[in-house]
Amino acid sequence: MPFLKSVLKQYDLVADKLELSGNVLERLRYPKRSLLVSIPIEMDSGAVKVFKGFRVQHDITLGPSKGGIRYHPNVNLEEVTALAMLMSWKCALMQLPYGGAKGGICCTPAVMSIKEKERLTRRFTSEIIWAIGPEEDIPAPDMNTNMQTMAWMMDTYSMLKGHTSLGVVTGKPLVLGGSLGREEGTGRGVYYMVEESAKINGKDLKGLRIAIQGFGNVGSAAARLLCGQESKIIAVSNSKGGIYNENGIDIGGLIQHVKENKEIADFPDVEIITNEELLTLDCDVLIPASIEGQITRYNADKVKAGIIVEGANGPTTPEADRILSERGVCVIPDILANSGGVVISYFEWVQDLQFYFWKEKEIHQRLKEIMSDIFNSVYSMSQEKKINMRMAAWMLGISRIAEAQKIRGLYP
Ligand code: GLU
C-alpha cells in the first residue's frame, strides 16, 4: 500500500474514534500548501542536471510548520505529504507550538560530490525561500541530510535576506546557533522510550536483547546509549543488510568502523543476516530506525519482540499494526518514539530566538521530562480506553489541533 494511503487509512481509523466535528476532520486530511520546484544545478562534469524538490506544509494551526528535509532517490510528493502529516501529529502530541511540514529532493546523495550537494541545497533553498523562515516554516535534517546541509540552508537564506537568521533551520552546527544535544536527539529520545516501555513491561534495561534496523544517526545513537545501560544490541543493519551476535555487538567498535567508511558486514565476530531476518529475530525490543513500510502484514505475525520502538517515521503499516495489537505486542508509535529530534529542534529554535544558549545537561533533562510525561499520558489513555498506543498518541495530537482550529474558526 502506498505510504500516503496507509497514513490516511490510519487517519480514518482515528477520526472514527474521535468525536470531532466533520469539518475539522475534513480540513486536516489535506496539506495546506504543497510546493514542487525544479532545481537545476551544474554537476562536476559541467553538465546541468535538473532535480525535483518538494516542501509540503501540512498544517499551521498551532504555529509555524516544522519538519525535516530528506535526500533520497524515492522521494516524491506523496511520501513528503504523508511525512508532513505525521509531523503535524508529532508536534501537536509533544505540545510544541508548531504545525507539520516535510521536504525532500529526489536524488542519490551517495553518488554526488560534496560540491554538488552544496549547489543542490543552496538552489533548493533559494527556490523555496518565500515559504520558509523562523516564523513561517523551519526545516531540519532528515534522511541523508545533516548539520552541513542546514548550514548551507541557513547561509543561503541569510545572504538572500541580507541579515543573519539563526532560527530559519534547526539541526545546525553549534557555532551557527545549533543546540547541544541536537545531533543525537532522536536517538536519545528513542533510548528514553525503550526505558519507559521496558518499565511498563516489567523489564530492566540491563541484559535487554535489542535488534535495531538502521544504523544511521538515530539507530547508532540509540544503540550507544542503550549499551551504556548494559542492554545487549544483538543485531543491527543498514540498507545493504545486517549483522548478528547473540552475545551483543561491540557498538563503540562498530561506530568507529562505520566512521572509517567500512561496511558493517566486514565487522568482526558477527553473523551476516538480512533485514527481513533482523525484523523477526528472537529479541526483547525491536527498533525499526530506517524507512517507512518495513513491518507489514507479511511479516507482522513473525515478529518475536514483545516491544517495538519506532525510530523511523511510518515503519509499520496499518494492517501490521492491527496484527501486532492482536498479538499483544507493545508498539511505541513513531510520533512519540522518534520525537526527540523535533523536541530538541524546538529547544534550538527557542535558544536562537532569544540569542541565549543552554547547557547540555539542561537539554537532556528537559527532553527526558517532556518525553516521559507524554509517554505516560499516551500510556494512560491507551489503558483507559483499551486502545493501542498509536491510536492514543494520534488521538491526543489530532484533538489538540482540532481544538485550536475550532477556537480560531474558518476565515476568510
Ligand atoms: N526529521 C526529524 C523528524 O522526522 C526532525 C524534524 C525537526 O527537527 O524539525 O522528526
Side-chain angles (χ1 to χ4, degrees):
M1 186 190 289
F3 186 36
L4 179 59
K5 218 168 152 194
S6 97
V7 167
L8 286 172
K9 187 169 171 186
Q10 180 70 32
Y11 180 73
D12 289 334
L13 292 175
V14 179
D16 265 358
K17 284 247 177 219
L18 272 177
E19 282 154 24
L20 290 176
S21 95
N23 296 337
V24 168
L25 290 172
E26 177 66 4
R27 284 177 66 186
L28 288 175
R29 276 189 81 83
Y30 304 97
K32 178 172 176 65
R33 287 187 199 110
S34 307
L35 202 56
L36 161 60
V37 295
S38 297
I39 314 164
I41 61 158
E42 190 176 321
M43 306 303 282
D44 292 346
S45 64
V48 170
K49 211 172 151 184
V50 182
F51 293 87
K52 262 191 200 154
F54 307 90
R55 184 71 180 169
V56 173
Q57 298 168 350
H58 170 258
D59 181 68
I60 58 166
T61 307
L62 296 171
S65 45
K66 186 88 193 78
I69 304 269
R70 61 171 60 180
Y71 290 176
H72 194 274
N74 295 343
V75 165
N76 60 62
L77 186 60
E78 292 213 332
E79 184 200 42
V80 174
T81 305
L83 291 165
M85 194 180 222
L86 289 180
M87 284 309 299
S88 292
W89 314 152
K90 191 187 303 186
C91 293
L93 170 68
M94 300 315 288
Q95 307 191 1
L96 307 177
Y98 288 145
K102 202 78 167 197
I105 301 177
C106 179
C107 64
T108 309
V111 301
M112 294 177 74
S113 73
I114 184 114
K115 280 285 161 203
E116 287 170 342
K117 283 188 231 176
E118 177 174 355
R119 289 194 285 273
L120 185 73
T121 304
R122 289 188 181 278
R123 181 64 191 243
F124 176 57
T125 308
S126 70
E127 294 294 344
I128 63 167
I129 194 162
W130 53 271
I132 60 173
E135 286 190 62
E136 287 83 19
D137 179 17
I138 308 138
D142 199 83
M143 201 177 285
N144 298 322
T145 56
N146 54 26
M147 287 201 293
Q148 179 62 72
T149 322
M150 293 306 114
W152 290 326
M153 286 194 86
M154 178 268 195
D155 181 65
T156 308
Y157 180 89
S158 298
M159 293 313 290
L160 293 174
K161 291 280 174 185
H163 60 89
T164 290
S165 172
L166 300 183
V168 62
V169 292
T170 59
K172 301 180 295 296
L174 269 187
V175 70
L176 297 180
S179 176
L180 289 164
R182 173 62 185 87
E183 212 179 2
E184 56 147 42
T186 312
R188 177 169 287 275
V190 166
Y191 154 63
Y192 292 149
M193 293 299 94
V194 173
E195 192 174 26
E196 295 292 344
S197 53
K199 224 187 276 167
I200 58 168
N201 283 281
K203 293 190 165 142
D204 198 30
L205 282 184
K206 189 170 172 187
L208 208 63
R209 291 169 319 127
I210 302 175
I212 305 182
Q213 187 197 35
F215 203 66
N217 177 36
V218 181
S220 62
R224 186 180 58 76
L225 291 163
L226 286 161
C227 271
Q229 299 302 317
E230 294 179 52
S231 299
K232 260 198 239 169
I233 312 298
I234 59 166
V236 305
S237 68
N238 62 18
S239 57
K240 293 183 189 149
I243 54 177
Y244 170 75
N245 179 339
E246 65 169 351
N247 298 317
I249 296 168
D250 162 21
I251 292 298
L254 183 62
I255 290 176
Q256 188 52 37
H257 180 88
V258 170
K259 245 192 212 149
E260 291 162 12
N261 275 327
K262 295 187 196 148
E263 296 290 337
I264 63 169
D266 296 332
F267 194 63
D269 298 329
V270 292
E271 254 175 67
I272 303 296
I273 55 169
T274 63
N275 263 298
E276 197 52 36
E277 284 165 337
L278 182 141
L279 294 171
T280 55
L281 268 184
D282 181 14
C283 61
D284 300 307
V285 181
L286 172 64
I287 305 180
S290 62
I291 200 159
E292 57 263 17
Q294 297 301 298
I295 307 175
T296 65
R297 66 183 145 140
Y298 302 108
N299 59 11
D301 56 343
K302 300 190 198 90
V303 168
K304 295 186 194 70
I307 300 173
I308 298 178
V309 179
E310 296 183 337
N313 288 311
T316 311
T317 66
E319 296 90 352
D321 207 37
R322 187 178 46 78
I323 297 171
L324 295 169
S325 257
E326 283 167 6
R327 291 186 45 219
V329 178
C330 170
V331 180
I332 312 303
D334 47 6
I335 60 170
L336 170 63
N338 70 32
S339 66
V342 74
V343 172
I344 299 194
S345 273
Y346 165 62
F347 295 163
E348 178 174 335
W349 178 75
V350 168
Q351 294 171 81
D352 288 342
L353 296 184
Q354 298 180 340
F355 298 96
Y356 179 77
F357 294 87
W358 312 346
K359 294 209 162 52
E360 188 156 21
K361 197 168 149 216
E362 194 174 345
I363 287 162
H364 291 172
Q365 261 168 4
R366 288 188 196 230
L367 177 68
K368 190 174 166 71
E369 198 178 301
I370 292 178
M371 290 194 70
S372 304
D373 281 357
I374 308 246
F375 177 95
N376 286 322
S377 311
V378 171
Y379 180 60
S380 311
M381 181 167 180
S382 78
Q383 294 295 99
E384 230 170 75
K385 296 201 183 289
K386 302 200 176 356
I387 51 179
N388 66 27
M389 287 187 62
R390 187 184 319 278
M391 179 64 85
W394 278 54
M395 284 172 76
L396 282 171
I398 294 175
S399 49
R400 194 174 159 87
I401 304 175
E403 186 190 340
Q405 238 182 41
K406 207 167 144 208
I407 303 171
R408 285 183 61 162
L410 182 59
Y411 173 86

